[in-house]
Amino acid sequence: MSFLEYEFMQRALVAAVLVGVAAPAIGTFLVQRRLSLMGDGIGHIALTGVALGFLLGTAPVLTAIVVAILGAVAIELLRERGRTTGDVALALLFYGGIAGGVLLIGLSPGGSSATLVSYLFGSLSSVRPTDLVVIAGLSVAVIGVVAVFGRELFAVCSDEEVARVSGLPVRFLNILVAVTAAVTVTVAMRVVGLLLVSALMVVPVAAAQQLSASFRATLVGACAVGMLASVGGLVVAFYADVAPGASTVVLALGGFLVAALASQLRPVR
Amino acid sequence: MTVFELRGGCVALGGREILHDVSVSVDSGEFVAILGANGSGKTTLVRTLVGLVPLSAGTLEVFGTPLARFRDWPRLGYVPQRLSVGGGVPATVREVVASGRTGRAHRLRRLGRADHAAIDHALEDVGLSHRGSDAVATLSGGQQQRVLIARALAGEPEVLVLDEPTAGVDADSQDTLAGALGHLAGQGGSVVLVAHELGPLADLIGRAVVMSGGRVASDGPPPEPEGHHAHVGHIHTHAHETHDRGHPSVLEPRTFDR
């Protein structure tokens, strides 16, 4: 396959496989909790982090991860305090994230909103060898969190009050989900971009659940759909010269359509 | 042995006091029904007992330990009032029931033989063994309520606290439910349940705590079924008329999962 002759494509491909598995893995728990849009919010906030990196002259990934984690924990603490006030507070955080990002990039030397585009929609050539190490390490960490805490996360995301009465460390687990989601967002930002990262966390789950009766099968199926979509999206992006985030998400949505049609033919028991 | 010992309990939610100076004690092996009108504080009382609602005054001991220092949570089983089971992702009946075992399971190990046996028993107790691999969303409301009870039973609790387990449940499910709770009580377990109508549970109940306006109105043997007027519905009707008219703003806060 000719696209594999390019080193940046080899790196991008490894990153796509890892991100394609990690994003739906944590995404399944967000959907279970009915917080599908949380990844989106974190993505908005991470934009401020990226711009902060440019302003300070440090690696944007590092500042993005710090800001995304702070934002995710803030979202979780606001959510914990109640729904009515939480909703508006979340909106404020999201808009603040985008506005802050555009503002900071404008202030940074030589930066303009155009600089942010590769972070918003993903960019094939942006995965450098050192990035790949970071992406690999963090993806493994995300998958590790799901493997080790999966049972407890399922309990908390299904029924928080019952989990509390069972003595599970509910607040710790909630913050763990938030932080893991934040890490996933920053890891996936190079491949699919901040605006579409949440789609890779949610759309594969929506596709997998059309055809499965169990949580476990949905989780595994979503990871498979996510991986296929991100690898396929990368190849399409290479040949068609489009942003990989867009082609990946369109493929995942295609997967959802196929699964939805198939479930009509073979209804879940 | 005392399971719950609430003394002088006051609870305020959203700046309004819902429970006023409530003292209730439940001994091990007791089967207690919490009765009363809508807004009388039944749900708040049981949510307080399991530690979901903080006391603004008074003390609560669970199995002889002050709540703040209580760590032995697997001894408690809680069945909240829910319209349906589960979140945004499909889950099988067995997965939901197994999640009730999480508090007893080791984080880094797979569920062991004892865990699976407890899950099997819980499914059997509520008559859903044959539906284990079905998506929980495909079950009827009454069956989903039974899944919630099985989830609590899977943790092998010594006391089961249930919030309106019979609300909106078909007659078959009510009978199965009564069977499962009778089974737990037969093994020396305690049951505290909030009920609007007792139905087939009436025979199991050893004591009724009747709430009215956030206070304990009476605490003793359950009302004898003596024709229509002695039924719980009777208590309910009167409490509504006498109490709610005086305090129209007293509404019980509830959490429903969509």
Side-chain angles (χ1 to χ4, degrees), chain A residues 172-269:
Chain A
F172 164 75
L173 292 167
N174 281 337
I175 289 182
L176 184 68
V177 169
V179 169
T180 309
V183 168
T184 310
V185 164
T186 34
V187 169
M189 122 184 130
R190 287 308 179 88
V191 182
V192 287
L194 288 173
L195 277 188
L196 289 171
V197 66
S198 184
L200 193 57
M201 297 168 97
V202 171
V203 178
V205 181
Q209 70 182 22
Q210 298 300 316
L211 294 170
S212 85
S214 83
F215 187 84
R216 185 181 288 261
T218 305
L219 177 66
V220 173
C223 291
V225 173
M227 196 180 77
L228 287 173
S230 55
V231 170
L234 196 63
V235 176
V236 170
F238 177 78
Y239 286 110
D241 195 23
V242 292
S247 50
T248 296
V249 172
V250 167
L251 277 180
L253 285 169
F256 169 77
L257 274 181
V258 171
L261 288 173
S263 77
Q264 294 301 310
L265 300 173
R266 189 183 66 96
V268 177
R269 277 192 303 155

Side-chain angles (χ1 to χ4, degrees), chain B:
Chain B
M1 169 155 207
T2 311
V3 179
F4 295 115
E5 177 82 62
L6 176 64
R7 285 192 219 95
C10 297
V11 169
L13 296 171
R16 218 161 21 125
E17 198 170 273
I18 309 285
L19 294 185
H20 324 282
D21 191 23
V22 171
S23 295
V24 170
S25 142
V26 175
D27 283 336
S28 126
E30 273 196 296
F31 201 119
V32 182
I34 315 275
L35 309 173
N38 280 333
S40 58
K42 305 183 300 271
T43 291
T44 305
L45 174 58
V46 291
R47 287 169 58 80
T48 305
L49 292 181
V50 297
L52 286 173
V53 175
L55 285 172
S56 52
T59 59
L60 171 63
E61 287 184 1
V62 182
F63 290 108
T65 308
L67 184 76
R69 286 196 280 114
F70 183 71
R71 292 293 175 268
D72 214 357
W73 293 100
R75 296 175 78 180
L76 240 73
Y78 173 57
V79 182
Q81 196 181 26
R82 297 275 185 262
L83 293 176
S84 67
V85 184
V89 175
T92 63
V93 169
R94 195 180 173 84
E95 282 179 324
V96 173
V97 173
S99 76
R101 192 71 190 170
T102 313
R104 283 199 188 269
H106 192 286
R107 180 171 290 154
L108 293 173
R109 285 192 211 124
R110 300 176 76 93
L111 292 182
R113 198 173 297 169
D115 299 314
H116 285 295
I119 295 161
D120 289 337
H121 277 141
L123 280 168
E124 240 167 73
D125 274 350
V126 299
L128 288 175
S129 299
H130 61 296
R131 301 296 301 268
S133 56
D134 290 353
V136 75
T138 61
L139 271 58
S140 73
Q143 288 170 328
Q144 294 200 23
Q145 188 64 43
R146 279 146 68 182
V147 171
L148 293 179
I149 290 163
R151 175 173 68 186
L153 290 175
E156 296 180 296
E158 289 170 46
V159 57
L160 196 56
V161 178
L162 308 98
D163 194 357
E164 301 238 20
T166 51
V169 169
D170 56 282
D172 267 2
S173 285
Q174 289 204 21
D175 288 336
T176 315
L177 205 107
L181 297 183
H183 188 198
L184 180 75
Q187 292 172 325
S190 324
V191 176
V192 177
L193 63 87
V194 169
H196 224 70
E197 40 182 312
L198 291 175
L201 296 173
D203 294 338
L204 295 164
I205 285 155
R207 183 177 144 209
V209 173
V210 180
M211 298 293 293
S212 177
R215 296 176 198 278
V216 175
S218 75
D219 185 348
E224 284 294 317
E226 214 181 87
H228 178 71
H229 286 275
H231 270 298
V232 184
H234 182 75
I235 294 169
H236 158 83
T237 316
H238 278 243
H240 241 306
E241 284 171 358
T242 53
H243 176 69
D244 280 1
R245 200 169 285 165
H247 304 261
S249 65
V250 179
L251 276 173
E252 200 167 351
R254 287 232 174 94
T255 343
F256 284 119
D257 260 8
R258 278 179 301 146

Side-chain angles (χ1 to χ4, degrees), chain A residues 22-172:
Chain A
I26 189 67
T28 308
F29 293 94
L30 294 181
V31 175
Q32 170 73 355
R33 255 183 124 167
R34 303 186 196 280
L35 281 178
S36 302
L37 293 176
M38 182 157 176
D40 225 12
I42 298 173
H44 284 48
I45 295 167
L47 194 68
T48 293
V50 170
L52 193 64
F54 279 105
L55 186 67
L56 300 176
T58 60
V61 178
L62 288 180
T63 44
I65 207 163
V66 171
V67 172
I69 286 177
L70 290 177
V73 171
I75 292 175
E76 175 51 34
L77 295 178
L78 285 170
R79 192 198 62 81
E80 192 185 85
R81 290 183 60 178
R83 280 169 204 178
T84 40
T85 53
D87 173 52
V88 174
L90 290 186
L92 298 180
L93 265 177
F94 296 178
Y95 305 142
I98 290 279
V102 176
L103 193 72
L104 289 180
I105 201 76
L107 292 176
S108 60
S112 74
S113 311
T115 321
L116 292 178
V117 169
S118 75
Y119 289 90
L120 285 174
F121 299 106
S123 162
L124 288 186
S125 52
S126 69
V127 183
R128 297 184 185 85
T130 46
D131 288 334
L132 192 60
V133 175
V134 175
I135 290 177
L138 292 178
S139 300
V140 169
V142 168
I143 294 163
V145 163
V146 171
V148 172
F149 294 95
R151 201 160 47 210
E152 284 163 276
L153 294 180
F154 173 67
V156 168
C157 296
S158 304
D159 198 322
E160 196 169 310
E161 292 196 330
V162 169
R164 201 178 289 277
V165 178
S166 334
L168 296 183
V170 170
R171 175 179 269 186
F172 164 75

